[in-house]
Amino acid sequence: MGVIVQEQTGLFHLQSSDMSYLIQIVDGYPAHVYWGGRLKHRESMADLLIHTPAGAGLDRLPQEYPQYGSGDFRNPAYQVELEDGTRITELKYDGYRILKGKPPLTGLPAVYAEDASEADTLELILKDAYSGLKVVLLYTVFADRNVIVRSARLANEGKGGLRIRRALSASVDVTGKQDMEMVYLSGAWAREGNITRRPLIQGETRIDSKRGMSSHQFNPFAALVAKETTECHGEAFGFSLVYSGSFEAEAEVDSFGSTRFGIGINSFDFAWLLSPGESFQTPEAVMVYSGQGLGDMSRTYHRLYRTRLCRGKYRDEERPILVNNWEATYFNFDADKLVAIAEEGSKLGIELFVLDDGWFGKRDADNSSLGDWYEDRRKLPGGLADVAERINRSGLKFGLWFEPEMISPDSELYRKHPDWCLHVPGRRRTEARWQLVLDYTRQEVRDYIYDSLSAIFSSVPVAYVKWDMNRGLTEIGSADLPPERQAETAHRYVLGLYELLERITTDFPHILFESCSSGGGRFDPGMLYYMPQTWTSDNTDAVERLKIQYGTSLVYPVSAIGAHVSAVPNHQVGRMTPLDFRGDVAMSGNFGYELDLTKFTDEEKETVKHQVAFYKQIRGLVQKGDLYRLKSPFEGNESAWMFVSEDKGEALVFCFQVMAVPNAPRRTLRLAGLDPELEYEVQSGHRGERSIIGGDRLMNMGLPLAYEQKDYESRWFRLQALKPGKD
C-alpha cells in the first residue's frame, strides 16, 4: 500500500486497503487511468495503460491537471496569463517525489496525519519551459481510508510576472462510465442541506458560490455516482473542498461520454499576481471512493473529518449540552434574566449557558454596534465577568456570541475607521442587516479583532464561543491592496480569516468554538479545522430539521452538527410539534435548547430532565458512532437513522413520522451496520419493552415499527449486544 511507481511505463499506483488510484505519464502529460476499488499491483499492467486514438490530440486524453489552448477544448484546471498578455502554457512532467505522511499547507486548513505511517504523499512536478511556471500536484493516500487528498502549488520560476486566472484544487477525467449523476447539497437560508441529484448529459453541470463564503445555496461538495447507486449499493466518488470562500464544482460531459470534474476556488472575479520566486497554494480537495453507496462514502468523510480535520481539546471530548438565550429573549434581557435561565438549566442538568447577540456596545437591535466589543453596562451593570461568574456558580459554564468579521456603520469603530470595511472608492457600500464586512486582508484589522476578543477571553471565564457571520461579501475591494491585486481580495480575506482563527484558537485552547453563518451559510471543512462544530441552520423547526440534518450528514459528521430544541409555535414556520419529537430530532446532533427555560410547565421540566439525562448516556455514541441513514425525509412521510459503535456492540435508532397515517399498514424498519452473528437486547423508548433479536433478523427482516395516531411522532430504540452465552 502507499505509492508504487513503475518508472519504465510512467505509472503511479496510489493504493489503500480498499482503493486504487492510477496515473500514467503519456507524452509528458499526467493522465488519469483509474480510480475505484483496490487493484493488486502487478509487474505488468500494460493492459491498463492509456492509448489515445491516432490524431486525437489532447481533447481525448483524460488528464490530471489539464490546460487550455493547446488542443484540449474542455474546461481547464488552471490558466495563467503572461506579461505579454498571452494565456498559453503547457505543463510537462518533470519528475516526482514521495513523502511519508502528509505535509501541512501553509496558511490553509487541511486534513492531517498524526503519524507518518498513516499516509504517503506523491508530488508530481510539472513545468512550462517557456514561462517558467512550475506546478506541483500533491496527492496524499491514506493507508486505511478510501481517501485521496489533492491540491496544487503553482510557482513562478521565470523572470517575468505571471497572473493566475484559474487554479483548481483537483480535476479528474472519468472515462468508461456512462449515465453518471451528480449529487450535491443546495438550499437557502433556513433551508440548507437539500440533497439534489441530477443526471449528467453532454454539456456542463455546475454549482458555485460567488458570495465570498461557501454559502447556504450550495455546499463545497459534490459526488459523482452511477445511475443505480443508492444509499447502500453502487459506486460514489465524493469531492469535498477544504475552503470557506467562493468556490466552483463542475462536471463536463464531452461528446464521447467522458466526464471531467473539477473543484476549487471560483475563477469568477479571481486573479493572483505571481511575481518571480513566489508560489500559490490551492486549498485541498478531499476525494472519497465508495463501492457501497452514498452511506459508505459519508461514513468515510465522517471518520476522517472527525479525527483528522477537527483538532484540539474538543476533537475527542463529548460536547456539552447547552441553552442559548437568543430565541428566549432576543435583544431584550438583563443580567438577572440570563442568570434565571441558567439556574433553571442547572436544575434540568444542562451544562453550558450561551449569551447570544445584544450584550455589547449599544446593541438593542441588529442595526448598530458590531465592532464595539465591550459590554453594555445598561444590561450588564457588573459586566460580563459578573454575569459569567454568577452563571458559573449555578453550575453551568459560560459561552458568548460574537460576529467578529462585521462592522456596523452605526458604531464607534466605523466612525473611527470608515476605511476598515471592504469597499471600492466612489461606490456605494451595500449594507445587509445594517452591516458591512471588515477587511480581513488588513493586518491591523485582524489585530484589532484579536486584541478585542483576547481581552475578554483573558478576563471572563468564557468556555464556548459562537462565531457568527451574517452576510456575504460585496464591493470586494481593499484600500490596502494596489490596483493590480484587487482581484485577490476575496481569497486574501479568507486567508486573513484563517490566520486570525489559527492565532486565537491556539492562544485559547480551552474554548470550544462553534462556527455560524446565519446558520449553515459557511458549513464547510475549512471552518471545521478551527471550530469542531457548526450551527447547522437558523431554522429550529423539528420537521424542517429532519431534512437539514439528514442532508448535512451526506458529508459532515454528526459531531459537527449543532441541533437545538426551540419553543412552539416555532419562530421560523409557526409549527406546533411535541417536545418529545423536538428532543429526538435535536438529540441526533450536538444537543441543546434555544428557548426560555423559566417558562416551562412542571410536566415539560420533567420531560427535559429525561431528555438531558438520556442524551448524557448516548452522546458518546451519537457524536462518535457510525451513522446509517435508513429512511430519507426527502422521499416520504417517515425518516430514520441509527448510530452504531465501532465494535458493533451498541446501537441507537431514531424514527420519525411527520403526519399520521390512517389505517396504516404493518411496517418494519431494516437496520444496518450490526453484526449478523450477535444477538441484541432491544429497548423500546416508547413502550419501555425489551426483547432479544438477532443482528441478522434486524438487518434482513427488520424491526417492527408502529406509531400512535398522532402527527409528529418519534421513536427510539437502544440496542446492546449480548455477550456469548447470555440470554
Side-chain angles (χ1 to χ4, degrees), residues 327-328 337 344 595-602 604-605:
E327 290 192 17
K337 178 60 178 179
E344 195 60 51
L595 39 67
D596 190 345
L597 299 175
T598 66
K599 294 182 179 179
F600 272 144
T601 66
D602 289 342
E604 288 172 327
K605 290 177 183 178

Side-chain angles (χ1 to χ4, degrees), residues 275-493:
S275 299
E278 292 183 341
S279 63
F280 178 86
Q281 174 65 52
T282 72
E284 66 182 24
V286 180
M287 299 162 42
V288 166
Y289 169 75
S290 167
Q292 301 174 38
L294 289 165
D296 180 65
M297 178 201 72
S298 296
R299 288 184 289 278
T300 300
Y301 274 119
H302 295 173
R303 297 180 196 118
L304 182 74
Y305 283 176
R306 189 175 65 243
T307 64
R308 293 297 180 271
L309 177 69
C310 295
R311 304 174 299 161
K313 172 184 177 182
Y314 290 94
R315 186 192 78 174
D316 301 320
E317 284 194 7
E318 294 180 357
R319 310 288 167 73
I321 303 170
L322 64 83
V323 58
N324 182 298
N325 75 299
W326 178 240
E327 290 192 17
T329 67
Y330 294 104
F331 295 101
N332 185 25
F333 60 82
D334 58 23
D336 290 341
K337 178 60 178 179
L338 301 177
V339 172
I341 294 174
E343 289 175 343
E344 195 60 51
S346 179
K347 297 174 187 175
L348 302 175
I350 292 171
E351 300 159 318
L352 168 69
F353 176 88
V354 180
L355 171 54
D356 211 282
D357 196 356
W359 57 266
F360 54 93
K362 298 178 181 178
R363 183 82 163 172
D364 296 322
D366 58 1
N367 59 3
S368 74
S369 300
L370 289 172
D372 299 343
W373 298 113
Y374 49 84
E375 61 261 78
D376 182 351
R377 293 280 177 159
R378 298 171 304 154
K379 297 178 181 179
L380 308 174
L384 280 173
D386 171 70
V387 73
E389 289 164 4
R390 290 172 65 187
I391 287 171
N392 286 168
R393 286 198 297 271
S394 75
L396 274 66
K397 292 183 177 180
F398 180 71
L400 201 55
W401 177 96
F402 290 89
E403 193 172 1
E405 297 166 65
M406 300 296 149
I407 184 171
S408 300
D410 182 10
S411 68
E412 295 302 319
L413 181 64
Y414 188 79
R415 285 184 276 273
K416 186 176 181 181
H417 295 289
D419 65 327
W420 273 17
C421 66
L422 292 175
H423 68 280
V424 175
R427 301 289 182 180
R428 71 179 178 91
R429 301 181 179 189
T430 301
E431 295 183 25
R433 297 182 84 244
W434 295 279
Q435 62 194 52
L436 300 168
V437 183
L438 283 171
D439 184 356
Y440 266 34
T441 73
R442 301 176 65 165
Q443 186 67 52
E444 66 269 35
V445 173
R446 302 196 302 272
D447 287 345
Y448 168 80
I449 294 298
Y450 175 85
D451 291 343
S452 298
L453 271 59
S454 62
I456 294 172
F457 299 158
S458 300
S459 59
V460 179
V462 176
Y464 163 103
V465 165
K466 181 179 178 182
W467 183 295
D468 210 344
M469 188 242 198
N470 278 310
R471 58 158 292 176
L473 278 55
T474 56
E475 289 80 50
I476 302 177
S478 173
D480 208 37
L481 292 174
E484 65 272 17
R485 291 192 178 274
Q486 285 298 315
E488 301 175 8
T489 304
H491 182 57
R492 287 187 179 275
Y493 177 94

Side-chain angles (χ1 to χ4, degrees), residues 42-105:
R42 295 172 171 84
E43 287 302 314
S44 176
M45 303 184 80
D47 58 316
L48 294 176
L49 301 183
I50 293 173
H51 304 282
T52 57
L58 296 180
D59 209 32
R60 294 289 299 274
L61 186 66
Q63 297 182 69
E64 283 289 301
Y65 208 67
Q67 62 225 5
Y68 179 80
S70 52
D72 187 340
F73 298 96
R74 297 165 292 174
N75 285 324
Y78 79 98
Q79 189 175 38
V80 171
E81 181 179 337
L82 281 60
E83 281 188 335
D84 61 6
T86 60
R87 300 161 308 285
I88 307 303
T89 56
E90 189 166 23
L91 294 171
K92 289 294 193 79
Y93 173 71
D94 193 57
Y96 72 92
R97 192 166 67 132
I98 297 175
L99 308 172
K100 295 298 294 181
K102 183 178 184 297
L105 301 186

